[in-house]
Structures are given as C-alpha cells and as structure tokens.
Amino acid sequence: MVSRPSQTLPLPPSRGLGRRFWMLWAAFLIANLGTGISAVGFPWLATSLTREPLLIALIGVAAELPWLLLSLPIGAIVDRADHRRVLAATHWGRAALVGGIALALYLDLMALAILYVVAFTLGTLTVANENAAQTILPRLVVRERLQVANARLTIADTVAGVFVGPWVGGLLVGVALAVPFTVDAVLFVASGLLVMMLPTAEPQVSEVSASMRADLIAGLRFFWGHRPLRDLGLLLGVLNMAGAVAIATQVLFAQEILGLTAVQYGLLFMVGAIGGMIGAQGTPWLERRIGPRRVLLASLAGSAAALVIVGLTSSGIVVALALSASAGLGLSWNIITISYRQRIVPEGLLGRVNSIYRLISWGPLPLGSAIGGLLVTLGQFFGGREIGLRTPVLVAAAVIAILFVIALTRYSTGLWSRTGSVDADDQE
C-alpha cells in the first residue's frame, strides 16, 4: 500500500449545503447548459451529413463506447486524483472539442468521420467528469443532505440541460450550424474556471494500492458483494440499453414522423424538462411517503407506458407530455440510486465503485444504439420508413415492461425493501 493526500474538507452544517456545494452547482449548471445545446446541435449536424439511420446511430455508439471500454481505469484514476482538477480538465477538454467542430464548420471542412472521433473523445471526457462529480459530492455535503444535494444538481441538469439548453440550441442552429458549438465552447471554459475556484482540500493521508489492478479488484469485490447495489447496476444496464435503442434515431423520428423543426425539437426537450423538474423537486418527499421501492417501480412502469405512447402517436404535443411524465420518474430514479450509492460506499472506494456501476449500467449503451439503428433499417425494409422509425421505440417499451415485472417479483432487499432500508451492511 502507498499513501497519498486525500481531499477531505470540513463539511458544512447539516442544515445547509454550504458555499462549496453551490459553487459546484453553478459550474454544473453552466456545463449542462452547453450539453443541452449540443443535444440539438449534434443530431442536427449529423442529419446534414447523412440520412442513413444506422450511420446516425453509430454516432451514439461512438459517444457511449467509453462507458464500456474506459469506465474501470478512469474510476481508479479518479480515486487517486484531485477531483477538482479532473472536473476542470474535462470541461476544458470538451471546450476544445466542440470549438474544433465549430472551426471545422466555419471552414467548411466538416465530415462524418470527424464527428465519430469527436463523439468518442467527448464520451471519454464525460465518463471522467461524471465519475469525479459524483465522487467529490460526499466531500462537500454531509451525509444527511446528500439526497437534497443530488436533487438540486438534478434540477440544475434539467433546467439547463433539458429545459433551456435544447431550446437555445434550436434557436442557434437556425442562425448557423457552427454557432451552437461556439457557444458550447465558451460555456465549458467558464465551467472549468468556476470548478478551479473551489477551495483546495486540507491534506489528509489515506491509503491506496500501488497497483491499479489491485484497486480495481477491491472495488469490484465491494460492488459484487453488495447485493442491492449489484441488482441496481444490472437492472439499470438493461434499462439504459433499452433507452438507447429508443433514442438512437430520435432526431429522424422527430423530423419525419413528428415534422419538427430544430426550434420545435428543442421545445420538445423543454416540455419534457418540466416533468423532470417536478420529479426531481418532489423525490425526497415522494420517497418519504411511499418508499424507494415504489418510486423505482413507478419509474419503470412510467417509462414503459411513455414509450408505448410515443411509438404509436404522430403528435408532437402528445410525445412531449409522455416524455415529461417519464422524465420526472426517471430523475427520481437517479436521485434515489445515486444518493444510495454515495451513502453506502466508503469514500476511498467511491470512484472505483462508481466506475464499476457505470460500466455495468452504462456499458450496454453502445450496443443499444447499434440495435436501434439496425431495427430501423430492418423495420423500413419490411414495413416502410415510418414502421422502421417506430419499431425501436416499441421494442424498448416491451423490454422495460419486462424489467418492471422482474423488479416487482424478484427484488425485495436493501433499497428495494418495502421499508426502504439503506443499510450499508446489507450484503450477501
């Protein structure tokens, strides 16, 4: 074993979240505004380069592949690193990448191959950024306030990344395709600067293994030995894969089935974000009233029902309302499970356990995106373009409905118990 300084800071009083949290929150808000703008800018750029569903889906595969390939080593690195510097570096790295896209568009040098490379690199930086953000939070907020802190971060994500960002992105796309990427670059630079203003930690010695392999084995042993955590990770892996199937070609669905413009596509996100904000704000109250198990089950059932509605309608308004309800339940899932993970995992293991959890739960995303593109291709071959674009949404709904039945009948321990126990010792 070797020693290194950890970044343990004196925590704020339990009655408040503290100035350091709000600095992180502000950086999170700004960065997610950029991400929200990209949510419209990137797919619209892709459809300007190709109309082939499989080629568009492969952009999602490239962006999500780092979750599968790099989650484990990045988690071990995050546990050894200064989380503040990791966050800043990933923000600035994303600024350079989206700035490069803008420059390529200004110079008329954009190509589909460039988009694949940028998508993969952005995905890599996102893996590191999200791991570091979740790992640093328990060092800024007392344990009793983690649920509230995660709810505040989720609301910031929803407001900036889903409510305002896509709408602004749609407006900026209408000016020129390069403009949203230019704005993104500025926002990511600002977010990185704000993170670096967080106070440095007082040195405190903690131990990590001299071998990254040994570090990863320790994290894997904790994760696999904790049954509720393992069940959540496996379930979320299939759930996320189904979601990736549904959204792999959503921009083509919006353009050709719903007949939306770039601005209207952004507004679709905005309506969905309203439900997300309601869900995020009400999660602590909802969990106290009905328990975490029922909230998680409702999230699965609501997601399946929403996708059925989306897959059968041609109305943008109906789709927006369905997505709004689903978003609220989905964010409740995130807040409950992230807070649970932050409470039960020892601080020195959190980065590694986060990476293992993300590998299992997010690793299937590229497979889901590829399947979504293939389902569109097969569906349009046998039933035409419209049938093809609807097929992955309905297939995803069926998969999530099966997950609901499995969760309802199988999971009853730890976080899934009817009492909502989150006992850290609840292991096999």
Side-chain angles (χ1 to χ4, degrees), residues 25-381:
W25 180 90
F28 192 80
L29 182 79
I30 294 169
N32 278 282
L33 179 60
T35 301
I37 292 172
S38 298
V40 171
F42 270 103
W44 230 258
L45 172 58
T47 58
S48 74
L49 299 172
T50 180
R51 302 295 297 181
E52 288 296 322
L54 187 56
L55 293 179
I56 289 176
L58 287 177
I59 296 172
V61 172
E64 294 150 357
L65 202 55
W67 290 106
L68 180 63
L69 300 180
L70 302 173
S71 287
L72 291 182
I74 285 176
I77 291 169
V78 166
D79 269 341
R80 293 166 174 256
D82 180 333
H83 301 148
R84 183 188 60 155
R85 294 183 184 277
V86 172
L87 289 171
T90 52
H91 286 317
W92 292 334
R94 291 191 285 185
L97 287 168
V98 294
I101 290 285
L103 181 61
L105 287 169
Y106 285 126
L107 298 176
D108 197 23
L109 298 174
M110 194 62 209
L112 194 59
I114 295 175
L115 205 54
Y116 290 135
V117 173
V118 170
F120 180 83
T121 311
L122 278 173
T124 301
L125 294 174
T126 299
V127 172
N129 183 273
E130 294 197 7
N131 193 317
Q134 290 188 7
T135 304
I136 199 175
L137 188 60
R139 296 178 176 181
L140 304 178
V141 178
V142 295
R143 176 189 176 99
E144 293 78 10
R145 303 290 289 171
L146 281 173
Q147 195 89 311
V148 175
N150 279 307
R152 297 292 181 269
L153 288 175
T154 301
I155 291 171
D157 180 22
T158 304
V159 171
V162 188
F163 190 83
V164 178
W167 175 69
V168 173
L171 292 176
L172 295 178
V173 166
V175 177
L177 264 176
V179 175
F181 300 101
T182 305
V183 173
D184 274 357
V186 174
L187 291 172
F188 283 129
V189 168
S191 183
L193 290 172
L194 193 54
V195 167
M196 287 303 294
M197 291 172 61
L198 282 168
T200 55
E202 293 296 329
Q204 179 177 341
V205 174
S206 63
E207 290 188 339
V208 295
S209 168
S211 164
M212 185 176 291
R213 178 175 177 272
D215 284 352
L216 291 174
I217 290 173
L220 183 60
R221 185 179 294 114
F222 180 91
F223 172 84
W224 202 255
H226 198 286
R227 182 179 174 184
L229 189 63
R230 185 185 70 215
D231 288 345
L232 283 171
L234 294 172
L235 187 69
L236 185 57
V238 181
L239 178 62
N240 281 337
M241 184 174 69
V245 169
I247 68 174
T249 54
Q250 67 173 356
V251 64
L252 294 176
F253 185 93
Q255 291 174 344
E256 299 180 27
I257 303 298
L258 303 181
L260 302 182
T261 65
V263 175
Q264 291 169 333
Y265 186 55
L267 288 173
L268 188 68
F269 284 86
M270 182 181 289
V271 175
I274 295 173
M277 286 189 293
I278 294 172
Q281 186 66 37
T283 295
W285 175 86
L286 193 62
E287 183 180 6
R288 288 193 301 270
R289 294 284 294 180
I290 66 175
R293 180 177 187 270
R294 290 191 178 93
V295 176
L296 297 182
L297 289 173
S299 178
L300 291 172
S303 296
L307 287 177
V308 170
I309 294 171
V310 171
L312 296 178
T313 188
S314 299
S315 167
I317 295 175
V318 173
V319 168
L321 293 175
L323 293 180
S324 180
S326 177
L329 292 169
L331 290 180
S332 292
W333 173 292
N334 289 343
I335 292 169
I336 289 172
T337 56
I338 290 171
S339 300
Y340 177 65
R341 197 160 67 245
Q342 289 168 337
R343 285 196 296 264
I344 66 170
V345 180
E347 181 180 317
L349 282 172
L350 189 53
R352 281 164 283 170
V353 173
N354 274 339
S355 71
I356 294 164
Y357 187 91
R358 290 298 187 92
L359 171 64
I360 292 174
S361 61
W362 290 67
L365 287 176
L367 177 60
S369 293
I371 291 172
L374 288 171
L375 285 174
V376 174
T377 301
L378 291 173
Q380 70 181 10
F381 177 79

Side-chain angles (χ1 to χ4, degrees), residues 401-426:
I402 293 172
L403 290 179
F404 169 76
V405 174
I406 292 173
L408 183 65
T409 57
R410 174 179 169 82
Y411 298 140
S412 60
T413 61
L415 185 59
W416 288 95
S417 69
R418 295 183 186 278
T419 60
S421 170
V422 289
D423 184 359
D425 297 324
D426 187 5

